[in-house]
């Protein structure tokens, strides 16, 4: 599972668009948020975990936002996510539109 984000206008306000895709590039879940913090990362990851309840992820790849690591740790402590899930980061995951304009 990969999770990325970008900033988009919505009804005159800018919102962060969080997206999660599987290893084949298919959309699993998305969410818009006013903030890019641990609570927003937690909410989108929980939404993804619930959507993938039959096939829990073995790894999660995100951009380098520190809030993702905190949210993953919280999900593991609450029992929603296995302790063995690997968290990988890439600073390029938020470049979703490069070359597609």
């Amino acid at each position: 599972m990969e999770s990325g984000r970008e900033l988009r206008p919505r009804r005159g306000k800018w919102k962060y668009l969080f997206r999660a895709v599987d290893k084949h590039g298919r959309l699993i879940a998305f969410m818009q948020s006013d903030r890019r913090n641990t609570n927003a990362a937690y909410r989108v990851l929980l939404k993804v975990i619930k959507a993938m309840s039959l096939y829990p992820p073995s790894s999660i790849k995100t951009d380098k936002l520190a809030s993702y690591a905190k949210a993953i740790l919280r999900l593991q402590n609450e029992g929603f996510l296995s302790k063995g899930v690997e968290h990988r980061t890439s600073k390029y995951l938020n470049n979703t539109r490069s070359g597609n304009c």
Side-chain angles (χ1 to χ4, degrees), residues 18-32:
F18 289 85
R19 280 188 307 272
V21 296
D22 65 10
K23 64 182 176 183
H24 303 292
R26 293 179 294 221
L27 182 68
I28 300 168
F30 70 94
M31 183 187 83
Q32 291 185 348

Side-chain angles (χ1 to χ4, degrees), residues 1 3 45 57-62 72 81 85-88:
M1 178 189 83
S3 183
L45 289 172
S58 58
S59 68
I60 298 175
K61 188 174 179 183
T62 66
I72 289 169
L81 193 59
V85 172
E86 182 182 3
H87 180 215
R88 298 184 220 161

Side-chain angles (χ1 to χ4, degrees), residues 40-71:
Y42 175 84
R43 287 193 337 261
V44 73
L45 289 172
L46 184 59
K47 187 175 181 179
V48 169
I49 291 165
K50 288 181 178 180
M52 296 181 63
S53 62
L54 297 176
Y55 305 99
S58 58
S59 68
I60 298 175
K61 188 174 179 183
T62 66
D63 63 9
K64 290 198 176 236
L65 178 66
S67 298
Y68 283 118
K70 293 175 187 175

